[in-house]
């Protein structure tokens, strides 16, 4: 697993911060909510950002100290 504080799991750039339960990429492109692992996302208004963990995608608050993935064109 990741080190203490979850720093080994990366943010992936998907959020439902603008409209609850309507997930998009941070560039506004649509995001398939079915990519989350079973039972997720489950954070309601408090967990609006997707990250990748060993069992799949999960949601967490933006203030969590995690690594991140970047898209490079």
């Amino acid at each position: 697993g990741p080190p203490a504080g979850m720093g080994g799991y990366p943010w992936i750039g998907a959020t439902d911060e603008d409209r609850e339960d309507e997930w998009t990429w941070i560039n506004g492109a649509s995001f398939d909510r079915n990519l989350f692992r079973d039972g997720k996302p489950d954070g309601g208004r408090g967990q609006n950002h997707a990250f990748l963990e060993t069992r799949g995608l999960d949601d967490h608050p933006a203030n969590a100290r995690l690594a991140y993935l970047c898209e490079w064109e």
Side-chain angles (χ1 to χ4, degrees):
M6 297 175 45
Y9 293 144
W11 294 118
I12 64 164
T15 182
D16 73 340
E17 190 170 52
D18 290 336
R19 182 169 284 149
E20 183 61 27
D21 215 27
E22 192 173 299
W23 288 85
T24 61
W25 290 105
I26 59 171
N27 68 1
S30 63
F31 177 83
D32 185 355
R33 181 179 197 285
N34 294 317
L35 295 172
F36 282 97
R37 67 184 179 93
D38 289 343
K40 303 293 180 175
D42 66 348
R45 290 297 309 154
Q47 298 184 7
N48 296 317
H49 302 277
F51 71 99
L52 180 62
E53 56 125 341
T54 55
R55 295 174 289 171
L57 295 181
D58 199 346
D59 56 330
H60 214 66
N63 65 352
R65 300 184 89 181
L66 302 179
Y68 50 89
L69 296 175
C70 296
E71 177 182 11
W72 198 287
E73 295 183 9

